[in-house]
Amino acid sequence: MNKRLVLVTAWGVMLLVSTLPDILLQEVFKTSLAWLFPAKLGLLALALLVSLVWKPLRPLWQLFLVFLLLYLAEFGISRLEESTAWQARFANTAPFVVSMLGVQLLRILVAVFMVLVMLALKRNFAAFYLVKGDLNATAAPIPLVMTQPSTWKKLGVILAVCITGGTLFFLVMAGRPSLAALGLALPMLPMILLLAAMNAFSEEMSYRASILGVLNGVLSAPQAVMLAAVFFGIGHYYGVPYGIIGVVMAWFLGWLLGRSMTETRGFCWAWFIHFLQDVAIFSFMAIGSVTAGGG
């Protein structure tokens, strides 16, 4: 009974504090509520308090604390981003590499904060997967895709090629960049690689490793991976591609990368696959910036 209560509570709170309420309000009722974010913080604070004083939910207190601190960190960073000094240096009107560097520096600050939070909670990096791990660990079958067990040394390469290739195909078909634009964006490649590395680290740390780390031993590995993947997927509703397709794609990617962490007990494959996909995405963002004259 306690295990079911823990599972249902974890999912219920996660869905309520995710962007799902925002999406429903915007898409169904065509409105937004200024107090929704404070309400989410209040819910997390209440859930944290209840989990600390009520034994059946005590296994979840670290999950609620991580969500609460993550949201507070992102709120603080958003205030920094809006400051006059930050806007003067990294405004959206700045060249692509400058404005995007500003975005990634803020995300890295959040990720570093979450590393410190997880170290305070778990005392070592391996407890929240921020280690190399076993890159050749056994990879369990993937329904409808891989019917037999494999190894992450093989599956990681296949996923990196297929996910990056699929992303490139989508971007090329959607944007159809000219050779001239490609040539103009080429000098940005070193910065594109840096930006992709930063974004992959920050997202994997903030939205995957921290959640999986506090759920380790609380939920089963498949349950924890699915919860983190759904949270990650919902957060991409207003991303590229937009809508349900974007949610499903981000969820599936999050599920695969979460599995790589729990099965290898490490960060590397998740970061590497995410990094290569981001190289493709940031490359096309750079191409778009030079096409528009903003390079």
Side-chain angles (χ1 to χ4, degrees):
M1 180 61 183
N2 282 357
K3 289 185 177 180
R4 179 175 296 179
L5 177 64
V6 167
L7 179 62
V8 171
T9 303
W11 273 92
V13 172
M14 181 276 290
L15 290 173
L16 287 173
V17 302
S18 72
T19 55
L20 181 61
D22 308 70
I23 295 168
L24 293 176
L25 283 171
Q26 182 63 42
E27 302 301 321
V28 178
F29 300 102
K30 307 302 180 184
T31 188
S32 61
L33 299 174
W35 51 262
L36 186 57
F37 180 70
K40 292 179 182 181
L41 296 181
L43 174 61
L44 286 170
L46 178 61
L48 175 60
L49 178 62
V50 171
S51 65
L52 288 172
V53 300
W54 192 33
K55 190 175 180 179
L57 291 182
R58 197 164 297 161
L60 291 174
W61 76 268
Q62 290 188 352
L63 175 67
F64 300 146
L65 179 63
V66 161
F67 273 134
L68 180 60
L69 292 178
L70 174 61
Y71 279 15
L72 287 173
E74 291 182 335
F75 176 77
I77 288 301
S78 69
R79 300 287 77 81
L80 174 59
E81 185 178 20
E82 293 169 1
S83 68
T84 302
W86 192 270
Q87 286 297 311
R89 185 68 184 88
F90 298 107
N92 289 335
T93 54
F96 166 76
V97 294
V98 176
S99 61
M100 186 54 67
L101 180 61
V103 172
Q104 296 307 321
L105 286 173
L106 294 174
R107 292 182 178 180
I108 283 291
L109 285 176
V110 174
V112 169
F113 174 72
M114 295 310 298
V115 170
L116 296 176
V117 168
M118 293 304 297
L119 279 175
L121 292 175
K122 298 299 185 180
R123 306 297 181 185
N124 68 83
F125 292 101
F128 55 98
Y129 307 103
L130 196 56
V131 291
K132 178 182 177 181
D134 180 4
L135 300 184
N136 199 34
T138 299
I142 300 174
L144 305 178
V145 177
M146 187 179 76
T147 58
Q148 298 296 323
S150 183
T151 66
W152 272 101
K153 185 176 182 180
K154 179 180 179 180
L155 180 60
V157 173
I158 293 173
L159 290 178
V161 171
C162 291
I163 290 171
T164 304
T167 302
L168 277 172
F169 177 79
F170 173 83
L171 292 169
V172 169
M173 295 305 295
R176 298 186 181 277
S178 66
L179 290 177
L182 287 171
L184 288 172
L186 190 59
M188 299 186 203
L189 183 58
M191 278 301 300
I192 289 170
L193 296 175
L194 175 62
L195 293 169
M198 293 170 69
N199 189 68
F201 175 80
S202 60
E203 289 201 358
E204 291 304 315
M205 182 62 233
S206 298
Y207 305 118
R208 202 152 0 260
S210 58
I211 295 174
L212 294 178
V214 294
L215 288 178
N216 187 23
V218 176
L219 304 182
S220 68
Q223 290 169 345
V225 168
M226 185 61 71
L227 185 146
V230 169
F231 180 72
F232 186 70
I234 293 172
H236 284 74
Y237 184 90
Y238 293 111
V240 179
Y242 175 92
I244 297 298
I245 294 177
V247 170
V248 172
M249 290 175 64
W251 160 76
F252 186 61
L253 176 64
W255 181 71
L256 290 172
L257 300 186
R259 278 190 44 175
S260 79
M261 282 192 184
T262 58
E263 292 178 1
T264 67
R265 307 297 302 175
F267 198 83
C268 285
W269 277 122
W271 175 85
F272 179 69
I273 294 168
H274 199 150
F275 163 72
L276 287 184
Q277 184 188 41
D278 280 348
V279 169
I281 293 171
F282 287 136
S283 294
F284 274 76
M285 292 174 70
I287 291 168
S289 73
V290 297
T291 301

